[in-house]
Amino acid sequence: MKAAVFRELGRFEIEDVTLDKPRADEVRVRVLASGLCHSDYHMLIGEFPIPRPSIAGHEAAGVVEAVGSDVTEFQPGDRVISCASAYCGHCHECQTGYNYRCDDKPDRAGW
């Protein structure tokens, strides 16, 4: 798989990367489309403290390829989108499409 890898300030390199099998609570998604957003720009210029190397493009659309043993909400073949924002996914606001108003946002410190 190709990815935009952040290794040094000011540049991304397009590289081939290999992914591990998903852990028990993870899914692996074959990304069909991804954009670089303003968060990626802040990472690129050093305004976000991101460990390196890191892969840019956290807003993606794709198809689930594999699921971990504890995953029950997704299965291979499901079409999904990703978002790195903190939200629970289960409260009324999340379930009605307003995750930015989440009633029970997870603590970002644990990410």
Side-chain angles (χ1 to χ4, degrees), residues 29-34 59-63 80-82:
V29 175
R30 179 172 33 94
V31 174
L32 301 176
S34 177
E59 297 174 355
V63 177
V80 295
I81 59 171
S82 66

Side-chain angles (χ1 to χ4, degrees), residues 3-87:
V5 180
F6 173 58
R7 293 188 183 278
E8 63 183 76
L9 290 178
R11 70 186 284 150
F12 294 118
E13 293 288 333
I14 305 302
E15 299 179 14
D16 286 312
V17 297
T18 302
L19 301 177
D20 294 335
K21 291 181 180 179
R23 289 179 260 179
D25 62 345
E26 295 178 335
V27 299
R28 185 178 64 229
V29 175
R30 179 172 33 94
V31 174
L32 301 176
S34 177
L36 298 180
C37 72
H38 210 73
S39 299
D40 296 300
Y41 171 74
H42 287 291
M43 178 174 75
L44 181 68
I45 64 172
E47 290 182 353
F48 285 166
I50 303 293
R52 293 181 255 170
S54 290
I55 295 177
H58 61 266
E59 297 174 355
V63 177
V64 174
E65 285 192 324
V67 299
S69 60
D70 294 343
V71 174
T72 59
E73 296 182 34
F74 300 99
Q75 61 186 6
D78 285 349
R79 294 176 186 202
V80 295
I81 59 171
S82 66
C83 178
S85 299
Y87 60 91

